[in-house]
């Protein structure tokens, strides 16, 4: 089977319909414009950069309409886009870039210094700098209208600058994105029909051993996730999505930006999440929203929330980490039912998403598997569990990744006998509805981002004062979970929480830095000598105000 160029198809069907809208400026791009601009990027990749099919283009940039143009441009050129996490420091990005081996590099203007540090010492690469959107129409006066002929439907100018290269970056100066597109012919390029198994882009997720893993995202995964979104939310071309999750994350691209474009709807792109801005749009014309619990909390805490009315909203989704019942009740008081689902980068991501009736009837359940996705719950011996029996969740289906980029060992460990082993503990009830209750691995989720304690522990051991360290996730009212580091000091050593957090902050993304630090005489251990993290959680897992100082 193969996948067609659905962006091009929608450009033929609805050429003047808004496809992408910048939430701050109101700048809109029609399907015809997005198809043409993606084609210009494809021409740049293919003819000027001379990248062969299958080559990688690394993109280190924040959310923008340009980002999605580049994603579809990569598809038209047959190359693979490596989506880089802009929250990571250069030290963490460098091994990812080394793994992806890109043939070109694109970065947002705010990340040029980081890009320069990552690329220092490497062979020069061609690249581009993506600049911000000029103007701020609608930023102060509420979200603009999406009607044809409105300010939002008119394309707003993008600043065109001269050459701009990251410090210490590749030879010569990287041109501005707009200037580079302008130099292309403007002829529309239709994507050759790739197979379902062909890679489209890479999403990197940290590994428990510290080695980043590039999760291969295929065209088939994107296609079936779009189908699953339609089945689960009745998504259609009439929908308008507020895209508030980062595009380097599967949630940002696939919940539900790609499905909306597949269906011919409109995606309003938030550059970065802002509760006030989100609230304005949610009250103006948005019909679909997906957020992590922290985003829902920040919106609910906004002064304008009490008076807000969501007249056109028809579906609310959430995922990433458990949502407190009190927060669900806050939104329910305004007549909003939040459907809490489950998925992974490795599953495209949608596996579970209950309908509103099920979400109201069973708060906390993720419902039944969606569409073509198959699931099992197995015990430690791999035997299928009965109802209400907890075990590891296994997933199978066309939405599952074929594996990890350049990492056969991790692929073999995760995909066995055709089933993806998720590492999550789950059970299903007598009705077949699933409940995600725990994790086999030590990973915890902070503000929708996966945090792997082993990575932080390895860093803490680099501090000369530290004899032993263990990191766990503890509950937090704002972020769902945050890190707590339990540290045993070397004899005679002196260290405080401020020093620990400062050391981590210089070397880790902010969400990975332990919010709490506790100094203990010894770490609890199992008879086999392993750190007994359940005992640590029992001791420390409580609502701890603020951060340690």
């Amino acid at each position: 089977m193969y996948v067609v160029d659905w962006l091009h198809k929608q450009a033929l069907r609805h050429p003047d319909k808004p496809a992408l809208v910048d939430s701050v400026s109101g700048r809109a791009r029609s399907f015809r414009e997005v198809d043409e601009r993606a084609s210009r990027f494809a021409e740049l990749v293919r003819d000027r950069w001379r990248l062969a099919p299958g080559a990688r283009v690394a993109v280190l940039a924040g959310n923008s309409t340009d980002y999605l143009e580049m994603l579809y441009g990569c598809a038209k050129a047959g190359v693979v886009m490596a989506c880089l996490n802009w929250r990571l420091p250069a030290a963490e990005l460098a091994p990812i870039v080394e793994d992806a081996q890109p043939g070109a590099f694109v970065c947002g203007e705010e990340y040029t210094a980081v890009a320069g540090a990552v690329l220092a010492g490497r062979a020069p690469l061609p690249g581009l700098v993506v600049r911000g959107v000029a103007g701020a129409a609608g930023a102060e006066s509420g979200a603009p209208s999406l009607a044809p002929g409105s300010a939002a439907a008119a394309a707003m100018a993008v600043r065109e600058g001269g050459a701009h290269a990251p410090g210490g970056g590749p030879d010569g100066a990287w041109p501005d994105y707009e200037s580079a597109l302008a130099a292309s012919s403007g002829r529309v390029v239709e994507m050759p029909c790739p197979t379902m198994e062909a890679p489209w882009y890479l999403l990197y997720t940290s590994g428990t051993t510290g080695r980043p893993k590039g999760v291969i995202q295929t065209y088939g995964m994107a296609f079936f996730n779009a189908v699953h979104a339609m089945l689960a939310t009745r998504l259609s071309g009439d929908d308008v999505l507020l895209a508030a999750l980062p595009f380097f994350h599967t949630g940002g691209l696939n919940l539900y930006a790609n499905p909306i474009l597949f269906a011919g709807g409109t995606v309003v792109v938030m550059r970065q999440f802002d509760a006030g801005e989100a609230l304005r749009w949610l009250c103006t014309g948005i019909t679909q929203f997906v957020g992590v619990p922290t985003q829902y909390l920040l919106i609910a805490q906004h002064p304008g929330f009490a008076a807000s009315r969501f007249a056109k909203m028809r579906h609310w989704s959430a995922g990433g980490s458990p949502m407190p019942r009190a927060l669900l009740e806050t939104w329910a008081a305004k007549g909003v039912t939040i459907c809490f689902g489950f998925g992974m980068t490795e599953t495209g991501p949608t596996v579970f998403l209950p309908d509103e009736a099920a979400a109201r009837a069973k708060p906390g359940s993720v419902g039944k598997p969606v569409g073509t996705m198959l699931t099992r719950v197995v015990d430690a011996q791999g035997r299928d569990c009965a109802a209400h029996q907890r075990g590891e969740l296994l997933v199978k289906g066309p939405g599952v990744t074929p594996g990890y980029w350049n990492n056969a060992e991790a692929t073999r460990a995760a995909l066995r006998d055709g089933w993806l082993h998720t590492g999550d503990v789950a059970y299903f009830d007598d009705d077949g509805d699933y409940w995600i209750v725990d994790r086999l691995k030590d990973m915890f989720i902070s503000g929708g981002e996966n945090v792997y304690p082993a990575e932080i522990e390895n860093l803490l051991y680099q501090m000369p004062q530290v004899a032993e360290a263990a990191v766990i996730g503890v509950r937090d009212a704002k972020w769902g979970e945050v890190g707590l580091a339990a540290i045993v000091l070397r004899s005679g050593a002196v260290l405080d929480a401020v020093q620990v957090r400062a050391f981590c902050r210089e070397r880790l993304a902010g969400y990975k830095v332990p919010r709490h630090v506790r100094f203990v005489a010894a770490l609890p251990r199992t008879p086999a000598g392993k750190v007994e993290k359940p005992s640590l959680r029992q001791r420390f897992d409580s609502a701890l105000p603020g951060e340690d100082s």
Side-chain angles (χ1 to χ4, degrees), residues 57-364:
V57 175
V59 178
L60 178 65
N63 283 16
S64 69
T65 59
D66 299 332
Y67 198 110
L68 292 172
E69 291 170 2
M70 289 186 286
L71 180 69
Y72 282 84
C74 285
K76 289 175 180 290
V79 300
V80 178
M81 184 164 160
C83 306
L84 303 183
N85 184 342
W86 46 260
R87 291 176 174 171
L88 300 179
E92 292 190 69
L93 285 170
I96 293 175
V97 173
E98 179 65 26
D99 184 69
Q101 288 292 304
F105 201 103
V106 178
C107 71
E109 61 182 336
E110 65 271 47
Y111 305 115
T112 53
V114 175
V118 170
L119 297 175
R122 297 177 60 88
L125 292 177
L128 294 175
V129 174
V130 179
R131 303 193 186 283
V133 180
E140 299 298 331
S141 57
S145 167
L146 294 177
S150 67
M156 302 207 40
V158 174
R159 274 192 298 123
E160 290 197 16
H164 190 106
D171 66 334
W174 281 350
D176 173 84
Y177 176 74
E178 288 298 316
S179 301
L181 291 195
S184 296
S185 70
R187 292 188 297 270
V188 172
V189 176
E190 186 172 0
M191 177 184 74
C193 295
T195 65
M196 290 279 185
E197 297 77 23
W200 182 4
Y201 53 98
L202 301 177
L203 298 176
Y204 276 84
T205 177
S206 297
T208 54
T209 63
R211 179 184 175 186
K213 293 184 293 185
V215 184
I216 298 171
Q217 306 288 304
T218 67
Y219 290 93
M221 290 171 69
F223 171 82
F224 278 100
N225 185 72
V227 172
H228 296 157
M230 293 174 182
L231 292 173
T233 75
R234 305 185 311 281
L235 180 153
S236 75
D238 295 328
D239 277 312
V240 181
L241 171 77
L242 182 62
L245 297 172
F247 286 160
F248 62 74
H249 194 286
T250 185
L253 291 179
N254 297 312
L255 300 175
Y256 299 104
N258 279 327
I260 287 283
L261 294 175
F262 178 90
T266 301
V267 180
V268 177
V269 179
M270 296 194 77
R271 302 180 203 173
Q272 290 196 38
F273 178 77
D274 176 81
E277 182 185 325
L279 196 56
R280 285 192 295 272
W281 278 99
L282 292 170
C283 295
T284 305
I286 300 298
T287 65
Q288 291 249 8
F289 179 70
V290 186
V292 296
T294 300
Q295 291 174 329
Y296 277 100
L297 174 64
L298 293 174
I299 294 172
Q301 291 176 340
H302 191 275
F305 179 74
S308 295
R309 297 294 180 269
F310 311 111
K312 295 187 178 181
M313 277 295 303
R314 65 171 199 80
H315 197 275
W316 305 80
S317 305
S321 60
M323 181 170 283
R325 182 178 291 269
L327 183 58
L328 289 171
E329 293 172 349
T330 297
W331 282 87
K334 292 188 71 67
V336 172
T337 299
I338 299 173
C339 299
F340 197 87
F342 172 86
M344 304 169 64
T345 306
E346 289 87 344
T347 61
T350 309
V351 178
F352 297 99
L353 186 64
D355 58 26
E356 291 189 14
R360 286 192 294 267
K362 296 181 179 180

Side-chain angles (χ1 to χ4, degrees), residues 393-473:
L393 175 66
L394 274 54
V395 180
K396 183 178 183 179
V400 174
T401 182
Y404 301 101
W405 186 260
N406 290 334
N407 198 333
E409 181 181 354
T411 299
R412 286 192 296 269
L415 293 162
R416 286 171 266 160
D417 298 322
W419 290 90
L420 174 71
H421 290 245
T422 68
D424 288 272
V425 178
Y427 71 90
F428 55 88
D429 61 23
D430 293 328
D431 300 320
D433 291 311
Y434 277 67
W435 305 74
I436 310 298
V437 296
D438 204 348
R439 287 181 286 274
L440 292 177
K441 302 171 185 176
D442 293 325
M443 181 197 82
F444 62 93
I445 301 173
S446 184
E449 293 292 335
N450 292 352
V451 182
Y452 293 86
E455 180 183 13
I456 307 168
E457 290 162 0
N458 290 337
L459 179 63
L460 291 173
Y461 276 112
Q462 296 178 22
M463 301 187 75
Q465 304 94 326
V466 174
E468 294 183 288
V471 175
I472 59 172

